[in-house]
Amino acid sequence: MNALVWILGGLLVILAIAWVFRFAAQKATDNKPYFRDMPLSVAFGYVFAAAALLLSIWYFFQPKAVDGVPSAGVIFFRWAVIGLLGFAAAAWVFRTVFRNVGSENSKKLFRSMPLTAAFGVMIIIVYAIVSVFAGLIAPYGQEEILGAANVVAGGDPAIGGNPEYPLGTDQIGRDILSRLIYGAQNTVGIAFITTCLAFFLGGTLGFLAAVLGGWLDQLLSRMVDALMAIPSLIFSLLLMTIATAWAGSEAWLVTIYMIFIIAVIDSTRVFRLSRAVGQSIVVMDYIEAAKLRGEGMGYLIFREILPNALAPLLAEFGLRFCFVFLTIASLSFLGVGIQPPKADWGTMVRDLSPFINYASFAPNAAVTPLLAAGAIALLTVAVNFVVDWMLHKSSGLKE
């Protein structure tokens, strides 16, 4: 109750300061249009942002330990701020370099690219390199059990770390860094394959429904409506539970089942988009001209409709990849996704979650399960940044 009173009191104080700020700005600028027409909500947003920034700076410089007890909140907050600033600086350097290096088209592309999109592109490239060359980058094997278990991240022997394992080891002695790297190969690679399969199924059937129409369109549309009426994660979990029982001890077979199940479920969303886009394209004159020339169905779909539908489909591919990626991680967290001993980020979050209990006195130990969760969140944010930029470019809007 006291916390609620403090929050409401703080918001009222900020509201009062916002009114004073707007009034003073109007007087100081001789009632210029920007401040004269500024709503109180906008002024509140400015003051709230300034207050949040000042509070963050104050909290950042709080002591890391009080009476010898580590303050996990301060430590995690500092790591988050340093990481955010580091990623922003890296994205700025990445964009600056490629504005001056490469072909004229790539330079032009990077000159028009916002910093958020540059960050997303940079992260996607890093994840792709790590996924492809995981076997060369990882210091140990993903299934290799080493001599020490429960080694704390950080490499400091004074708090239970080991320089040989900079991110520590899990409960049975496997290197966390190596499993994170192989997790990129397994989780991201399988998500990419699944998304491609979903787009092949949904896109092909959607364009067929748009071109042919009639009973085929109605049949496919009603089937898709029925599948979309069921919550996708619950449906995937149900089907994967059955598939896991069918697969028995064959872990690789569980992965194959998972790819097909998620691809079919997610293809319904792709079908809806490709059908809607295709229906707006098939009425164009150049489609009628192609039909009069006697062009076949394959030509119409892949040479006429697909190139003109590429922009929205590429944006949807990014979003759909995020959903597939998170679905695979969720299923693995629940135990019916990628099977051990293969490294997977969802499984790592589940297996390492007990380390959270040590946050109050050993923040380095508690950070271990957050590494896999952070890898999932980072890729999701990066892809969404790139998708937002692509949608903005394809819309034709100007900055």
Side-chain angles (χ1 to χ4, degrees):
M1 187 64 182
N2 290 336
L4 181 61
V5 171
W6 275 101
I7 292 173
L8 291 177
L11 291 176
L12 289 175
V13 170
I14 293 175
L15 184 63
I17 296 174
W19 186 88
V20 173
F21 162 74
R22 185 181 64 168
F23 179 79
Q26 288 171 350
K27 295 298 182 183
T29 60
D30 196 22
N31 218 23
K32 289 289 180 65
Y34 181 78
F35 290 104
R36 182 190 65 207
D37 301 331
M38 178 184 288
L40 185 59
S41 58
V42 174
F44 177 86
Y46 281 127
V47 176
F48 184 85
L53 179 61
L54 292 174
L55 183 63
S56 300
I57 294 173
W58 170 81
Y59 192 67
F60 184 87
F61 289 103
Q62 290 300 297
K64 290 195 299 183
V66 179
D67 297 330
V69 179
S71 177
V74 173
I75 293 174
F76 287 153
F77 182 75
R78 287 187 183 182
W79 288 345
V81 170
I82 293 170
L84 180 63
L85 294 177
F87 280 127
W92 181 83
V93 171
F94 174 78
R95 185 180 65 174
T96 302
V97 169
F98 282 95
R99 280 178 171 179
N100 301 287
V101 176
S103 64
E104 287 302 320
N105 288 334
S106 68
K107 290 179 184 178
K108 183 179 178 181
L109 186 67
F110 275 93
R111 289 192 189 103
S112 65
M113 184 182 293
L115 191 61
T116 52
F119 167 80
V121 172
M122 179 187 70
I123 294 299
I124 291 171
I125 291 174
V126 170
Y127 273 65
I129 293 172
V130 171
S131 299
V132 173
F133 300 104
L136 299 175
I137 298 172
Y140 304 98
Q142 61 179 319
E143 305 171 18
E144 186 177 353
I145 297 176
L146 308 170
N150 295 323
V151 174
V152 175
D156 185 1
I159 58 173
N162 188 328
E164 295 182 9
Y165 317 119
L167 298 184
T169 60
D170 61 12
Q171 297 94 326
I172 61 175
R174 295 175 297 190
D175 180 53
I176 298 296
L177 175 60
S178 300
R179 289 184 63 77
L180 278 174
I181 293 171
Y182 277 104
Q185 186 180 70
N186 296 330
T187 310
V188 178
I190 291 173
F192 182 76
I193 293 171
T194 305
T195 308
C196 290
L197 182 58
F199 263 75
F200 177 76
L201 292 174
T204 303
L205 293 177
F207 288 145
L208 277 175
V211 173
L212 296 177
W215 65 268
L216 180 64
D217 180 22
Q218 290 298 318
L219 176 64
L220 292 175
S221 298
R222 299 297 77 79
M223 290 173 60
V224 166
D225 290 342
L227 286 175
M228 291 184 69
I230 308 171
S232 57
L233 181 59
I234 296 176
F235 195 29
S236 301
L237 182 60
L238 173 64
L239 295 178
M240 282 304 302
T241 303
I242 299 171
T244 304
W246 286 351
S249 59
E250 301 292 338
W252 64 272
L253 197 53
V254 176
T255 303
I256 299 297
Y257 285 145
M258 180 181 67
I259 290 173
F260 279 99
I261 288 171
I262 298 177
V264 170
I265 292 174
D266 263 69
S267 67
T268 56
R269 278 75 180 169
V270 183
F271 173 87
R272 293 287 291 270
L273 176 65
S274 58
R275 176 179 176 272
V277 174
Q279 283 181 329
S280 65
I281 295 175
V282 294
V283 297
M284 297 295 179
D285 291 339
Y286 57 84
I287 298 294
E288 293 298 326
K291 289 180 179 178
L292 291 174
R293 291 199 309 268
E295 303 291 355
M297 187 64 61
Y299 181 91
L300 291 176
I301 291 177
F302 294 107
R303 298 293 298 275
E304 297 289 354
I305 298 177
L306 184 59
N308 292 284
L310 206 55
L313 286 178
L314 282 176
E316 178 66 14
F317 185 90
L319 294 174
R320 197 51 42 200
F321 172 79
C322 286
F323 284 114
V324 170
F325 174 67
L326 293 173
T327 300
I328 291 174
S330 301
L331 292 175
S332 298
F333 180 85
L334 296 171
V336 292
I338 300 174
Q339 297 298 300
K342 294 294 184 184
D344 169 73
W345 290 339
T347 306
M348 290 179 68
V349 172
R350 181 195 64 200
D351 293 343
L352 300 173
S353 58
F355 285 99
I356 294 288
N357 298 325
Y358 304 105
S360 59
F361 57 88
N364 282 49
V367 78
T368 305
L370 301 180
L371 295 172
I376 295 170
L378 187 63
L379 181 59
T380 304
V381 170
V383 173
N384 276 283
F385 279 157
V386 176
V387 168
D388 287 343
W389 174 58
M390 290 173 58
L391 286 173
H392 184 81
K393 282 182 66 67
S394 63
S395 67
L397 297 175
K398 302 298 182 183
E399 296 290 350

